[in-house]
Amino acid sequence: MNRRFFIGIGLWIAGMLLVGVAPAESASFEVSYKSLERFIVQSVMTEGGRHYIEGGPSDDCLYAFVQEPRVAAVGGRLQITVLFAGRAGAVVAGKCVGPGDNFDLVVSGVPEYDRGELFLSDLKVEAPDTAYFKIVRPLVENDLRKNLRYPLRERLDYAAAWVSSSSVAGALSLGSFSIDSIIAGQDDVRIDFELGLSLGK
């Protein structure tokens, strides 16, 4: 998603410049669910394809991680299914003692934009109601709510700077920006937005 979005928005900005920088222009952009899956792996699951919520790669008795994201949409909600694995153990007499489990975990929410970021509002986590997961559920929910975000405004600023450095005789900057709608469709997320650019000297 990073590369596709960056290049796509960069080319769109360059196209605006060919016809003159307008105070504000409406546009839309589609991001496929396969691209979202790649983005989640590259930016969130950065430790061998895993995202550790507790512990790390060297821990084999006290840990919790998610991996293998699969993205879809159900009823207008973005749905991310991941493989969850964890254990809440302690080493006793050289052995790991304590509960653990692994299963598919489903995270869903309504895609929204606020303060420069895309995120999932009304986030819900669905998982088997095991004794172990009851212990770690609050930790998992808080972590995913924090990390499943995309810095959209920051990426737009990068795209404007890229176009400015490569093709514009002057300083191009992103001015106004607002999201009109975000729609989670069958195969992708469509973002409708208005973007204003300014060209300095």
Side-chain angles (χ1 to χ4, degrees):
M1 179 178 175
N2 279 344
R3 181 175 176 81
R4 182 184 175 210
F5 186 86
F6 180 81
I7 294 174
I9 289 295
L11 292 175
W12 184 82
I13 291 172
M16 283 183 63
L17 295 175
L18 292 175
V19 298
V21 177
E25 289 286 342
S26 297
S28 64
F29 200 83
E30 291 81 32
V31 181
S32 73
Y33 294 141
K34 288 297 182 183
S35 294
L36 276 174
E37 291 169 1
R38 288 193 295 270
F39 166 72
I40 293 170
V41 171
Q42 293 168 4
S43 65
V44 180
M45 300 179 178
T46 56
E47 297 185 88
R50 295 175 175 176
H51 171 66
Y52 279 85
I53 297 167
E54 186 172 31
S58 62
D59 297 302
D60 56 9
C61 192
L62 179 61
Y63 62 86
F65 65 81
V66 291
Q67 62 182 6
E68 301 175 11
R70 288 151 281 162
V71 180
V74 177
R77 294 175 65 86
L78 200 63
Q79 181 174 284
I80 305 170
T81 303
V82 294
L83 177 62
F84 172 86
R87 188 161 192 181
V91 178
V92 178
K95 295 183 178 181
C96 181
V97 178
D101 215 335
N102 62 81
F103 44 74
D104 275 348
L105 180 152
V106 179
V107 184
S108 69
V110 178
E112 289 191 10
Y113 175 82
D114 185 49
R115 299 180 184 180
E117 291 186 316
L118 292 172
F119 66 98
L120 296 178
S121 69
D122 188 30
L123 186 139
K124 296 180 181 179
V125 174
E126 299 175 51
D129 191 25
T130 65
Y132 166 73
F133 195 70
K134 286 180 180 178
I135 297 171
V136 299
R137 175 182 281 276
L139 181 67
V140 171
E141 290 181 347
N142 290 336
D143 182 275
L144 296 177
R145 185 175 289 109
K146 175 183 176 182
N147 285 286
L148 291 177
R149 291 175 172 265
Y150 184 75
L152 179 59
R153 174 69 194 227
E154 179 183 293
R155 297 301 174 188
L156 289 170
D157 287 333
Y158 285 159
W162 173 64
V163 172
S164 180
S165 65
S166 61
S167 62
V168 178
L172 179 68
S173 61
L174 181 65
S176 61
F177 176 71
S178 61
I179 296 286
D180 295 325
S181 64
I182 305 174
I183 301 173
Q186 181 176 350
D187 301 310
D188 55 38
V189 174
R190 191 183 80 226
I191 304 168
D192 298 320
F193 60 93
E194 290 189 5
L195 179 149
L197 298 169
S198 60
L199 185 59
K201 297 182 179 180

